[in-house]
Amino acid sequence: MSQPAIILITCDELRRDAISAYGNSVVPTPYIDSIAQNGTRFDRCYTVSPWCLPARCSILTGKYPHHTGAYSNFRKCPLDVGIDNMFTLLHNASYHTSLFGKCHFAPVPYSQTRPGKTLPYDQFRDYYVRLGIDHLRLQDDKQVSIWFYDDYSKELDAAGYLKSYRDCNWDAKNQLVYPFPGPSKWHPDAWVGQQATDYIKNWNRPDPFFSWISFSGPHYPFDAPEEYLQRASDIELPQRLGKEGEWCDPGRIHYCNYHGPGNIDGAGKAPEKGCKNYSEAYWDRMRRSYYANIALIDDQVGEIQKAAKARFGDDCLIFFTADHGEMLGDHGIWGKHNCGYDQVWRIPLLAHFPGMDSPTVSDAIVNLNDLLPTMLEVAGLPSAICDGISLLEQKKGNGYSYTVAEGEGYAAITDGRYKYIHIQKDGKFFREFLDLQNDPDEFCNIIAEPSCQSEVARMSMRLLEHFFPALLP
């Protein structure tokens, strides 16, 4: 029996509720939704980190950041090429492996970036290939393609649009919101989709096929092309989630991100580095661009699916998910840094399995570590040593009893009812405990409430067990 083609489609910083399959009514996403028409929509999938690099390395290895050592966007902690990963395991099983778009398996040298310059990036590209990628077309994040010459920015420069894109990004007045300064086909997400679609259309090798198609959007900068902004010009945006008095307590994790000076992604471009200082006009422009970018990605997913159907028929495993979400103005902030909110932590996961002919919905608690073991099981390959469990197995029950998110100085745990978030870094210490049944919008930190101390202790011990399992029976 031939092994199925495997296609993993990811978006960066994509909220679960921005997809119409999960109830979004702002911008329809029919092509993304169609992945689940003969597959499964997972309603309780969680990222394992609210940062790009740790989450992506966990997708790749099926392991939590504390097991890979790739735990931060900002420290020198690239994924070790000696760790078994999705590419090496499938390549060793005769799959031809490819990646189109964003890798970010190593920290970006942010300190080297300068206005007016795009710097060499060959060292990073060579490192990515050593992870087991047979064919790589690199677009390593929107801003990275402005700062460094990856495959996309080299072609964008030759086409005459790189300088204007770079100038828009560095212009402080834009606050990372501007129309893409070129034709839609040259937007990073359109380029990634086109590269992947053409590759699938021209596929004629006897090897089984694996590709990770990794869109940089709708991650900031919020830069949808004018064509797609027009689509979003008349949409009715959902009300931003917030509560009067939510940010009165200086002990809350995001107090400074709201009031300033903060360190969440959105605070850096806000007046006095406080997200509360953005105007309503800014929130409107930013959010419309975010949804417009999703519409662009949905169109590209449609082209990818059409090509995959023509080339592989139904013998294809397709995943659609995200590395993490985005606050998008909810609770008065945007970005994902240190976030344990569902807007960032809970992500979309749609899966089309070969041979399935009816849609299903799973309420099992699953996470990004589960993708790798699922691929190996569907391909009929030996299981890997990892922290994940095949989604086919997870669907039979309720999934994990709890799931954890990690990052530099950050750990959070949820069982679907309660959340405990622990942050300890930069000389600061925060603890928050949320009751999702009585406070579904996550406004109130009840860590000090006497009535919930037994639950706080239980979740704290669960988190300790996650990192130090030998300490507990």
Side-chain angles (χ1 to χ4, degrees):
M1 184 179 70
S2 63
Q3 291 173 306
I6 302 174
I7 297 175
L8 168 61
I9 304 172
T10 60
C11 292
D12 194 341
E13 212 142 316
L14 176 66
R15 289 168 61 116
R16 171 181 172 273
D17 63 1
I19 303 302
S20 47
Y22 289 96
N24 158 49
S25 60
V26 180
V27 171
T29 54
Y31 299 116
I32 293 171
D33 300 344
S34 69
I35 294 172
Q37 287 180 356
N38 295 318
T40 303
R41 186 188 79 212
F42 291 88
D43 276 357
R44 293 202 293 174
C45 180
Y46 293 82
T47 184
V48 297
S49 181
W51 289 277
C52 300
L53 185 149
R56 289 169 176 275
C57 291
S58 291
I59 292 174
L60 196 55
T61 63
K63 297 181 178 181
Y64 279 105
H66 75 279
H67 284 150
T68 66
Y71 65 92
S72 173
N73 278 10
F74 313 107
R75 306 296 174 199
K76 191 173 182 180
C77 56
L79 183 67
D80 191 326
V81 295
I83 297 176
D84 283 340
N85 69 66
M86 198 174 282
F87 295 115
T88 57
L89 291 167
L90 290 171
H91 174 88
N92 291 341
S94 299
Y95 272 83
H96 187 273
T97 65
S98 58
L99 187 146
F100 299 88
K102 180 169 179 174
C103 289
H104 200 178
F105 307 131
V108 177
Y110 298 109
S111 62
Q112 296 179 16
T113 61
R114 298 288 185 276
K117 290 185 178 181
T118 300
L119 304 170
Y121 207 57
D122 293 342
Q123 182 178 354
F124 278 80
R125 194 186 193 284
D126 292 345
Y127 158 74
Y128 292 144
V129 170
R130 292 203 309 275
L131 289 169
I133 304 173
D134 295 320
H135 180 81
L136 174 61
R137 296 292 285 153
L138 183 62
Q139 192 280 301
D140 208 20
D141 178 84
K142 295 175 184 178
Q143 291 188 113
V144 172
S145 292
I146 291 167
W147 298 328
F148 299 97
Y149 275 116
D150 56 21
D151 296 331
Y152 162 74
S153 54
K154 288 176 181 177
E155 293 190 8
L156 189 68
D157 199 11
Y161 301 109
L162 177 60
K163 183 182 183 302
S164 55
Y165 195 21
R166 187 171 59 216
D167 290 346
C168 285
N169 189 74
W170 281 102
D171 189 339
K173 296 191 301 295
N174 287 332
Q175 296 176 304
L176 294 176
V177 183
Y178 52 84
F180 179 74
S184 295
K185 71 176 184 179
W186 279 109
H187 186 274
D189 295 326
W191 184 88
V192 167
Q194 291 161 11
Q195 293 288 314
T197 298
D198 290 346
Y199 193 71
I200 295 169
K201 285 180 177 178
N202 295 318
W203 178 259
N204 59 5
R205 297 172 61 99
D207 327 42
F209 177 94
F210 168 68
S211 188
W212 184 344
I213 303 168
S214 179
F215 292 103
S216 289
H219 189 291
Y220 62 89
F222 304 97
D223 63 349
E226 191 62 46
E227 170 190 345
Y228 285 89
L229 288 172
Q230 288 300 318
R231 287 199 204 178
S233 61
D234 296 324
I235 62 175
E236 184 177 349
L237 294 169
Q239 185 174 354
R240 290 191 294 120
L241 189 66
K243 181 180 180 180
E244 185 71 29
E246 181 180 4
W247 298 118
C248 292
D249 179 5
R252 295 299 303 273
I253 292 169
H254 296 287
Y255 177 88
C256 288
N257 291 325
Y258 180 76
H259 290 288
N263 59 5
I264 200 171
D265 316 52
K269 300 298 180 180
E272 299 179 9
K273 296 189 182 299
C275 287
K276 72 175 183 181
N277 298 318
Y278 284 124
S279 67
E280 285 303 321
Y282 174 85
W283 286 119
D284 185 87
R285 286 189 300 115
M286 181 265 270
R287 297 167 78 214
R288 287 185 190 279
S289 187
Y290 182 87
Y291 284 107
N293 195 164
I294 292 170
L296 184 158
I297 292 171
D298 186 66
D299 283 349
Q300 293 301 320
V301 170
E303 293 302 309
I304 291 165
Q305 285 184 276
K306 187 190 306 181
K309 184 71 173 177
R311 180 59 56 195
F312 307 119
D314 192 47
D315 193 22
C316 187
L317 171 63
I318 302 178
F319 291 112
F320 177 88
T321 190
D323 55 358
H324 53 72
E326 158 65 54
M327 291 307 297
L328 203 67
D330 285 343
H331 298 273
I333 57 179
W334 73 257
K336 74 279 184 180
H337 184 70
N338 284 347
C339 283
Y341 293 113
D342 267 7
Q343 289 89 339
V344 169
W345 195 356
R346 197 169 167 187
I347 55 175
L349 175 58
L350 307 176
H352 169 267
F353 296 93
M356 292 188 68
D357 57 5
S358 60
T360 60
V361 177
S362 173
D363 197 41
I365 294 179
V366 300
N367 66 42
L368 289 177
N369 286 331
D370 300 333
L371 296 180
L372 174 58
T374 309
M375 292 180 187
L376 297 178
E377 180 177 354
V378 172
L381 299 174
S383 58
I385 298 174
C386 67
D387 297 319
I389 299 172
S390 170
L391 292 167
L392 296 174
E393 184 66 27
Q394 297 276 45
K395 285 171 58 178
K396 297 175 184 177
N398 295 320
Y400 300 109
S401 57
Y402 65 91
T403 188
V404 172
E406 304 175 12
E408 182 180 354
Y410 171 99
I413 184 169
T414 185
D415 59 3
R417 166 67 194 273
Y418 297 104
K419 281 184 182 177
Y420 172 68
I421 305 160
H422 184 112
I423 296 175
Q424 191 167 345
K425 58 184 170 182
D426 301 326
K428 297 179 180 178
F429 176 63
F430 298 96
R431 294 169 74 229
E432 293 195 0
F433 189 76
L434 305 170
D435 181 343
L436 303 179
Q437 179 173 293
N438 295 312
D439 179 28
D441 292 327
E442 305 181 80
F443 290 131
C444 302
N445 177 22
I446 57 172
I447 191 76
E449 291 290 329
S451 61
C452 66
Q453 291 311 299
S454 63
E455 293 296 343
V456 172
R458 179 179 67 87
M459 296 296 281
S460 299
M461 289 299 289
R462 284 281 198 171
L463 193 57
L464 181 64
E465 181 184 21
H466 173 75
F467 290 104
F468 303 105
L471 293 183
L472 298 175

